[in-house]
Amino acid sequence: MRKANEEAGEREFDELQRTLQIDLDPDLLRLALTHRSFAYENGGIPTNERLEFLGDSILGQAVTVKLFRDHPELDEGELAKRRASLVSSVALAEVARAIGLGPFIRLGRGETLTGGAEKPSILADTVEAIIGAVYLDLGGDVATALVLRLVGPLMQDPRRFGASMDPKTSLQEIAARLGSPAPTYAIEESGPDHNKHFVATVTVGDLAVATGEGSSKKQAEMAAALEAWTTLDAR
C-alpha cells in the first residue's frame, strides 16, 4: 500500500511538473511542497522554509533584471514599486492559483481544515520554495525562465501596477464607480508580540468580500484590498 501511495504521489508530481514545464528532482519538489504544519505532524521532517528563503532572492533578482531591461524610461522609485507589486504575496498567490498549486501542497490536518491550500501566504511561500528548488537542481537560467513564465502575465497587465501600488485607494475608486459604499475593514490578529499575524477582511457593500494576510495591519489590509479590487475589476 505504501508503494502504491508513493507511486500515486509521483504521478501527481508529474502533472505539476508538466504545468511548470520543468523536470525537477522529485525529492526536492516534495520538500518544496512541504508546509511546516505537515512537517510538525509527521515527526518534524524538513519543511520548505529554507527553499522559500532562497526562492525569494531568485524571484526578486529575476523580476528586477526584467523590469530594468524592459523599462529604461522608468526611474528607480517606479521600478521599485513595480517590483514590489510583482513579488507580493497577493501576486504570487494569484500565480499559484493560475497553475492549480493548492492541491499539491502538503499541509497538516489543521491547515487543511481551515482552507490552507487557498491562503495567500501559504500559496505565495510555496511558489517561492519551488523557485528555490529549481535553482538548486536545474540552475539559475532555468529558475529565471520559470520566474518569467509565472510572473510574465502579471507584467503585461498595466492596470495591475496602479492597483498594486495603492490598492486601498484603487479599491475605493472602483467602489465609487460601481455606486457602492466605501470599503470597510475588519482586522483579526494572532501570535506572540514578536511574531504577530494579521488577517484583514474588506467588505465592499454587497459587491465583494475579500481577505488578506500579513505581518502588519497595513500589509493585511493592502492584500485584502488588492484581492477585492481584482474581483471587481474582472466584472
Side-chain angles (χ1 to χ4, degrees):
M1 179 64 71
R2 180 178 178 182
K3 183 177 180 181
N5 289 338
E6 290 176 350
E7 290 175 351
E10 296 303 329
R11 287 195 295 272
E12 289 180 350
F13 288 160
D14 288 344
E15 178 185 343
L16 179 58
Q17 299 227 51
R18 284 193 297 271
T19 300
L20 295 171
Q21 301 175 43
I22 57 172
D23 186 14
L24 182 61
D25 176 80
D27 289 337
L28 260 179
L29 180 55
R30 183 179 295 106
L31 177 59
L33 296 169
T34 302
H35 186 257
R36 62 178 174 270
S37 61
F38 182 93
Y40 176 78
E41 291 183 9
N42 287 270
I45 62 175
T47 76
N48 64 4
E49 291 176 352
R50 281 174 53 84
L51 288 176
E52 173 199 336
F53 170 79
L54 176 61
D56 176 69
S57 179
I58 305 306
L59 169 71
Q61 180 184 46
V63 170
T64 298
V65 172
K66 177 69 172 173
L67 288 172
F68 182 87
R69 288 177 172 170
D70 287 1
H71 296 283
E73 77 284 3
L74 298 180
D75 63 21
E76 181 270 343
E78 184 70 16
L79 288 171
K81 290 178 182 178
R82 292 199 177 199
R83 178 180 60 193
S85 73
L86 291 167
V87 303
S88 70
S89 61
V90 174
L92 294 181
E94 186 174 341
V95 166
R97 294 187 186 105
I99 62 175
L101 182 60
F104 294 99
I105 303 174
R106 305 169 81 199
L107 297 169
R109 285 187 294 272
E111 281 292 355
T112 299
L113 291 173
T114 58
E118 280 300 312
K119 290 181 179 178
S121 59
I122 291 177
L123 290 170
D125 291 348
T126 307
V127 169
E128 291 179 336
I130 290 173
I131 293 168
V134 170
Y135 177 86
L136 283 181
D137 189 37
L138 303 175
D141 289 345
V142 177
T144 295
L146 173 63
V147 169
L148 297 182
R149 282 200 304 276
L150 294 176
V151 180
L154 306 185
M155 289 182 168
Q156 302 306 314
D157 182 4
R159 299 171 302 167
R160 171 176 304 277
F161 294 117
S164 295
M165 292 174 192
D166 191 355
K168 294 183 72 172
T169 298
S170 296
L171 179 60
Q172 189 168 346
E173 290 172 349
I174 199 171
R177 190 163 69 246
L178 295 172
S180 172
T184 59
Y185 296 84
I187 294 286
E188 295 181 6
E189 64 177 88
S190 59
D193 289 341
H194 68 278
N195 189 25
K196 286 287 187 182
H197 181 74
F198 296 84
V199 177
T201 300
V202 60
T203 303
V204 188
D206 59 358
L207 296 180
V209 177
T211 61
E213 303 175 50
S215 57
S216 69
K217 177 182 175 182
K218 179 180 178 180
Q219 188 180 70
E221 287 184 344
M222 290 177 66
L226 185 56
E227 188 78 14
W229 177 89
T230 302
T231 298
L232 294 178
D233 187 61
R235 291 191 173 190

